[in-house]
Amino acid sequence: MSPAATIRAFVPASRRPPAPGGGAAPGVRGRLLRSLRYAAPALAGYLAVRLCGLAVLVRLSAATGDGVWRTLAASWDSNWYLGIADHGYTDTLGTRINENNLAFFPLYPLLVKALAAVTPGSRASVGLALAIGCSFIAAWGVFAVGARLYGRRTGTVLTVLWGALPVGIVQWMGYTESPFTALAAWALYAVLTGRWLWAGTLASLAGLTRPTGIAVAAAVTVAAALAARRSPPGGRWPAVTGGLIAPLGWLAFLGWVGLRVGRLDGYFAVQRLWKNEWDGGRATLLELRQQFLYAGGPPLFLLLVSTVLVLSAVLFVLGVTDRQPLALLLFTGVLLVVVLGSAGVYFPRARFLLPGFPLLLPVARGLARARRTVTAWVVLGTATLVSSWSGAYMLLVWKGPP
């Protein structure tokens, strides 16, 4: 596919400017600028939210003595990804708990290694810059989905809400949430616009980025299968091909890990070493019951995580009653099943749900349709302040990983 077709694939047809004199379509730059202008209010709002969160983090870190750059670029999971970029993966399963780096998917560290080879600065700086850059691509994709379904105003509100999530600061850390959300959002947009080869390719890349890439693959594959069934025989191949491509990245990494450690269930054996198994949600329900009913004074951050989990389940039900497109419901539904059904560590669950932006659509639609504009401003402003404070608390006060 040519560069022009590549850009054109992600510029909404209704927003492509007519060619001068009604002739051929304008060049790639014109289409890209037009699309960016259309998304500009959403991207500006997203930038404002995240700059507010960064400002609060900088201000409070001065009081605690923590270094902002190191906290964002080289802490916790960031160090695991940087270690993979530096030294590669281990080649044995072993028995040590929380020590096997085969639990981390490869696309992000590979990109960090490749970009660091041709750019100045440390790999930690490159990783942070990559994550921040991908956060804007993700925000653009979030806007594109919202605007495609419900108009520009809803898309803008959705983007700001996504940036103002309680753990939104992770979007500007050397983590995989921003690259993954970018791939997921644009894959879903490709599904909504019937671009099946793009949808499958992006879903496959998402499957190389995070374990929850299976949620993107499921959404694309099922939607593609239904589209192929409705299409005439001669027009089915794009949907069929896209649906087959979608899970390849996720399956390829799991297969590679199995070969590397010499057992078919190698990846799941690695996850067990990280105390992470799927139990259908029993451990999550027990933790929620403990915190909300029995604990005398549970840590504030864990209460925040629990609240996010409960609200996410409620928002999913609202999305179903709202009759969101099937691909979006499949993505968020499988994401919730994976995250809520895990018996692994509890505190990162809110971060794991960060890519689930379609869950925010009912709220975004309600705010966009509010009769009084001040209502939307108050809600979004409050969400921004809460996100800024909770992000700083998570990184400076909470003693564990985000």
Side-chain angles (χ1 to χ4, degrees), residues 258-272:
L259 289 173
R260 194 164 179 88
V261 300
R263 51 188 292 180
L264 289 176
D265 68 337
Y267 177 76
F268 300 101
V270 170
Q271 287 294 338
R272 286 192 289 272

Side-chain angles (χ1 to χ4, degrees), residues 39-52 135 138-144 146 152-169 171 354 357 360-361 363-364 367-368 376-388:
L43 297 178
Y46 173 76
L47 175 62
V49 169
R50 293 283 22 107
L51 286 177
C52 181
S135 77
W140 190 3
V142 170
F143 167 80
R152 188 184 193 187
R153 182 178 175 85
T154 297
T156 300
V157 174
L158 178 66
T159 306
V160 174
L161 283 173
W162 180 70
L165 287 172
V167 293
I169 188 64
Q171 297 163 6
L354 192 61
F357 69 92
L360 300 170
L361 273 170
V363 180
L367 291 176
W377 281 101
V378 169
V379 172
L380 294 177
T382 301
T384 299
L385 293 176
V386 171
S387 175
S388 301

Side-chain angles (χ1 to χ4, degrees), residues 79-254:
N79 285 327
W80 282 100
Y81 290 116
L82 293 174
I84 294 169
D86 286 337
H87 309 296
Y89 283 102
T90 185
D91 57 2
T92 58
L93 179 61
T95 57
R96 298 179 64 181
I97 301 298
N98 296 347
E99 288 294 331
N100 195 311
N101 65 3
L102 288 167
F104 297 88
F105 277 56
L107 184 60
Y108 177 70
L110 287 176
L111 288 175
V112 170
K113 183 175 182 178
L115 290 174
V118 295
T119 56
S122 66
R123 284 181 174 170
S125 298
V126 170
L128 180 57
L130 176 62
I132 293 175
C134 285
S135 77
F136 285 96
I137 299 174
W140 190 3
V142 170
F143 167 80
V145 171
R148 173 80 185 184
L149 293 174
Y150 305 115
R152 188 184 193 187
R153 182 178 175 85
T154 297
T156 300
V157 174
L158 178 66
T159 306
V160 174
L161 283 173
W162 180 70
L165 287 172
V167 293
I169 188 64
V170 175
Q171 297 163 6
W172 281 16
M173 293 181 67
Y175 275 51
T176 57
E177 272 69 23
S178 287
F180 179 75
T181 306
L183 292 166
W186 285 110
L188 293 173
Y189 180 78
V191 169
L192 295 177
T193 55
R195 297 175 170 95
W196 296 109
L197 296 180
W198 273 108
T201 301
L202 293 170
S204 187
L205 291 173
L208 289 170
T209 307
R210 289 196 58 77
T212 44
I214 188 61
V216 189
V220 172
T221 298
V222 173
L226 293 175
R229 184 178 180 182
R230 295 191 298 265
S231 301
R236 292 174 181 172
W237 74 267
V240 171
T241 305
L244 292 174
I245 291 173
L248 292 184
W250 190 81
L251 292 173
F253 182 67
L254 265 63

